[in-house]
Amino acid sequence: MRKFTSRNLLKNNKLKVTPQRTLLLDIISKYGHIDTDSIVTEITSTLPSVSVATVYKNLSTLIENGIVKEVNFPGKKKMYELNINKHIHLVCSKCGNIRDIDMSESLLKEKFRDIIDDEIDDFNINFYYTCKSCKKS
Amino acid sequence: MRKFTSRNLLKNNKLKVTPQRTLLLDIISKYGHIDTDSIVTEITSTLPSVSVATVYKNLSTLIENGIVKEVNFPGKKKMYELNINKHIHLVCSKCGNIRDIDMSESLLKEKFRDIIDDEIDDFNINFYYTCKSCKKS
DNA sequence: CTTATTGCAAAGGTTTTGCATCGCT
DNA sequence: AGCGATGCAAAACCTTTGCAATAAG
């Protein structure tokens, strides 16, 4: 069982390990959920010459390889997250804060077995609610 | 209890009833899930002078009023649907066909009460699987 | 009659492409 | 050494804005 370093994620998928890619993965991992704008800002603060084209191309290949996942919150910009552990999102309708809740495919399948008996390849689940600190104010 | 005509949806929300708006709602209703490109194509086939700006502005106001909802399927264009009855999406990973499954907030809350005990304002739920006809081929 | 909506054209933002160079393996 | 990845600049998309003209209530 290997460690989930950015480097290993790439190697395990037979992708070339470049500074741009490992940094991209490090950043996505650090932020949890991040949009392309912030990725470019963050990445160029360490490697100033990285171009947006490289960021977009790498996001595509990482998604194709199942390492990264696109996440959408309606009305917000597309975000990206690591596709390592299956989870759902609890999003505060007021402040936008996102909490990840681990959720296995098998548990989900059980919850929805009244509705879907097919095999589930993947899922997107977001719940919108008002978080504790936003309820106070 | 009023009928859910496009006209009534607008009137109930104190929005002006214009030909562009009722047609937009009719189209979204007809297609179930539709992106802006197809909306513009469809709408101009009936009212040729409608501009994209009008479509975008109307989508915004309809969303603000809770009549329309943005739906995202990662890797695809943004789509729009009527926000009339709560439902989840079953999406075929192969052919992309989308099936709506009615689901009340209360039923959902029950399924996830082990995870979230707060009040749920809204949700986005998509399951990806392989549909019957795609399994054959 | 008043005010929101429309259509147009321009601007702004985001993502993709082509191609020459560079650098992993 | 070979082939994929990178950076750049341009192109292609997608969405918003400002404003004058129009039409809904």
Side-chain angles (χ1 to χ4, degrees):
Chain A
M1 183 79 176
R2 299 236 194 122
K3 257 183 62 191
F4 270 148
T5 59
S6 298
R7 184 185 175 75
N8 284 342
L9 275 176
L10 294 170
K11 276 183 138 16
N12 294 346
N13 284 274
K14 299 179 191 14
L15 294 174
K16 283 193 179 170
V17 178
T18 66
Q20 292 87 341
R21 280 185 180 161
T22 51
L23 181 53
L24 174 56
L25 284 174
D26 288 347
I27 288 167
I28 296 175
S29 166
K30 173 180 166 194
Y31 281 86
H33 317 83
I34 186 168
D35 60 57
T36 46
D37 239 38
S38 311
I39 288 173
V40 171
T41 305
E42 270 288 295
I43 215 166
T44 52
S45 80
T46 302
L47 299 179
S49 68
V50 174
S51 74
V52 292
T54 298
V55 169
Y56 279 105
K57 285 173 193 164
N58 277 332
L59 283 173
S60 292
T61 59
L62 292 171
I63 289 170
E64 279 166 23
N65 282 272
I67 299 172
V68 166
K69 192 170 167 178
E70 180 189 322
V71 202
N72 294 285
F73 302 106
K76 305 269 176 229
K77 296 207 251 181
K78 277 183 195 170
M79 307 238 262
Y80 300 89
E81 64 180 18
L82 289 188
N83 191 22
I84 286 186
N85 58 332
K86 296 281 178 186
H87 61 273
I88 68 174
H89 299 118
L90 295 197
V91 186
C92 177
S93 315
K94 301 282 181 302
C95 68
N97 179 57
I98 304 164
R99 230 161 26 105
D100 290 355
I101 307 283
D102 282 350
M103 165 110 6
S104 69
E105 240 155 42
S106 58
L107 177 53
L108 253 189
K109 202 161 150 45
E110 190 173 317
K111 284 187 190 300
F112 287 93
R113 79 180 143 206
D114 52 329
I115 285 158
I116 177 171
D117 57 355
D118 303 273
E119 194 169 334
I120 294 168
D121 299 333
D122 196 11
F123 57 84
N124 319 130
I125 301 188
N126 307 325
F127 285 109
Y128 298 86
Y129 76 118
T130 306
C131 74
K132 301 249 184 296
S133 57
C134 282
K135 259 183 192 155
K136 287 177 195 165
S137 47
Chain B
M1 182 78 174
R2 300 236 193 121
K3 255 183 65 191
F4 270 147
T5 59
S6 298
R7 184 186 175 74
N8 284 343
L9 275 177
L10 294 170
K11 275 185 141 12
N12 293 345
N13 285 276
K14 300 177 189 16
L15 294 173
K16 283 191 179 173
V17 178
T18 66
Q20 293 86 341
R21 279 185 180 161
T22 51
L23 181 53
L24 174 56
L25 284 173
D26 289 347
I27 288 168
I28 297 176
S29 166
K30 174 180 167 196
Y31 282 86
H33 317 84
I34 186 168
D35 60 59
T36 46
D37 240 37
S38 310
I39 288 173
V40 171
T41 305
E42 271 289 295
I43 215 165
T44 53
S45 81
T46 303
L47 300 178
S49 69
V50 173
S51 73
V52 292
T54 299
V55 169
Y56 280 105
K57 284 173 194 165
N58 277 332
L59 283 173
S60 293
T61 58
L62 292 171
I63 288 170
E64 278 165 24
N65 283 273
I67 298 171
V68 165
K69 191 170 167 177
E70 180 189 321
V71 202
N72 294 285
F73 302 106
K76 306 269 176 231
K77 295 205 250 180
K78 276 181 195 171
M79 305 237 261
Y80 299 89
E81 66 179 16
L82 289 188
N83 191 21
I84 287 186
N85 58 332
K86 296 280 179 188
H87 60 273
I88 69 173
H89 300 117
L90 296 195
V91 186
C92 177
S93 316
K94 301 283 182 300
C95 68
N97 179 58
I98 303 163
R99 228 157 32 101
D100 289 355
I101 307 284
D102 281 350
M103 164 109 8
S104 69
E105 241 156 40
S106 57
L107 177 52
L108 253 188
K109 202 161 149 46
E110 190 174 316
K111 285 186 190 299
F112 286 93
R113 77 178 143 208
D114 51 330
I115 285 158
I116 176 171
D117 57 356
D118 304 272
E119 194 168 333
I120 294 168
D121 298 333
D122 197 10
F123 58 83
N124 319 130
I125 300 189
N126 306 326
F127 285 109
Y128 297 87
Y129 75 117
T130 307
C131 75
K132 302 251 183 296
S133 57
C134 282
K135 260 183 190 156
K136 287 175 190 166
S137 47

